[in-house]
Amino acid sequence: MSESRRDRSRLKAVASSGGVARTRPDPEGLLRRLEWTVIRRLDGLLQGDYRTLFRAFGLDLADLREYQFHDDVRHIDWNVTARLQVPHVREYYADREVTAWFLLDLSGSLDFGSGAVRKRTLSAELVALLGRLLTRHGNRVGAVLYSDEVDAVIPARAGRRHLLHLLDRMLDPLRTGGGRETNLNVLLEKAHKLIKRRSVIFIVSDFISTPGWERAIALLARRHEVVAVRLYDPLELELPDLGLITMQDAETGEQLLVDTRDPGFRRRFAQAAEHREAVVRKALAEAGVDCLELATDEELLAALLRFVGLRKRRSQLAAGGVPARASAAGP
């Protein structure tokens, strides 16, 4: 077995006798649980101001006026001030109606999870949470579903019933790909052609894909506000000493028997994972796309609070200020 084959980043550790469990969570139960456990706590932390999450998405310039005492100096427009020799500040108004789209990678690799939570479950919880935060205030959400091809488009609509329909389609246990490698370029190009009005776009994926999606995501980010939600499992980044295990390509089904007792193999595995991470982060940064990294062993509320910090920084930059130091994780 060649070294390059052993180091393929899409190979996942699974029990030699194991397949992937095809259980179907109940959308209503999932949404109700998140409403009671996460959304209520998030409301308390944000004092009910859900726009803290999304306020940078619909920010438009309303007017320029002379600076007045007590104005926020971060809103000073220095170009206009230099031309007129009088300090001027920018005023913004927020577009209260948000249209959000979820571009959902539902390929076979999302069935992996080394603990109690698989990446597919994590994806559904995030979509349910963000979707409910939006739809309960009258905003619209839609989705493009991809397994090994784009196999469903759910138009953007408002309401809890619509969100439950979206989750029901997303959680279909048969929607796991047909044994072909993931090509995110197909999903992103479809979204670019489909979504004409400026929207918030969440790309929810593990970004384990054939190369070539970088240009498509950059084109999408020129028209829309794009957030990449990167799902990962800690075991995909570094292998412990597990002895002899079977590693299976979650999308093609190819299996290899490897010896994780070999420190050289574990080192090459970690190096390959680190290289893959660097490539993805660089592509997202060059496209100007915010990134929320979400691990299967992480509490969802903690990830959302990081997201709030990320959006606050974006809002401050859009308003011409210097962002405060925040704890939000990103590339």
Side-chain angles (χ1 to χ4, degrees), residues 10-11 16 21 35 39 82 124 126 131 146 148 161 178 192 227 247 252 278 310:
R10 293 193 305 106
L11 291 174
S16 59
E35 286 173 333
I39 293 179
L126 181 76
Y146 171 93
D148 56 1
R161 179 179 295 182
H192 183 69
V227 176
M247 300 188 75
T252 67
L310 188 68

Side-chain angles (χ1 to χ4, degrees), residues 11 13-14 112-114 232-240 242 269 296:
L11 291 174
V14 297
F112 181 71
S114 59
Y232 71 94
D233 187 276
L235 204 60
E236 294 174 325
L237 306 180
E238 186 175 0
L239 279 178
L242 300 172
F269 184 94
T296 56

Side-chain angles (χ1 to χ4, degrees), residues 219-281:
L219 289 175
L220 203 61
R222 291 180 185 176
R223 180 186 297 173
H224 307 283
E225 188 73 29
V226 178
V227 176
V229 182
R230 297 188 56 226
L231 310 172
Y232 71 94
D233 187 276
L235 204 60
E236 294 174 325
L237 306 180
E238 186 175 0
L239 279 178
D241 183 352
L242 300 172
L244 283 172
I245 63 170
T246 298
M247 300 188 75
Q248 177 174 305
D249 188 314
E251 294 176 358
T252 67
E254 179 187 1
Q255 293 187 348
L256 294 173
L257 183 66
V258 299
D259 186 1
T260 61
R261 294 170 298 187
D262 179 4
F265 172 79
R266 297 200 305 271
R267 182 177 62 254
R268 291 190 297 272
F269 184 94
Q271 289 173 346
E274 183 179 358
H275 175 71
R276 182 185 70 240
E277 295 286 298
V279 168
V280 172
R281 290 177 176 179

Side-chain angles (χ1 to χ4, degrees), residues 207 213 217 228 230 279-289 291 331:
F207 287 85
W213 53 267
I217 199 171
R230 297 188 56 226
V279 168
V280 172
R281 290 177 176 179
K282 180 181 178 182
L284 296 178
E286 290 180 347
V289 171
C291 180

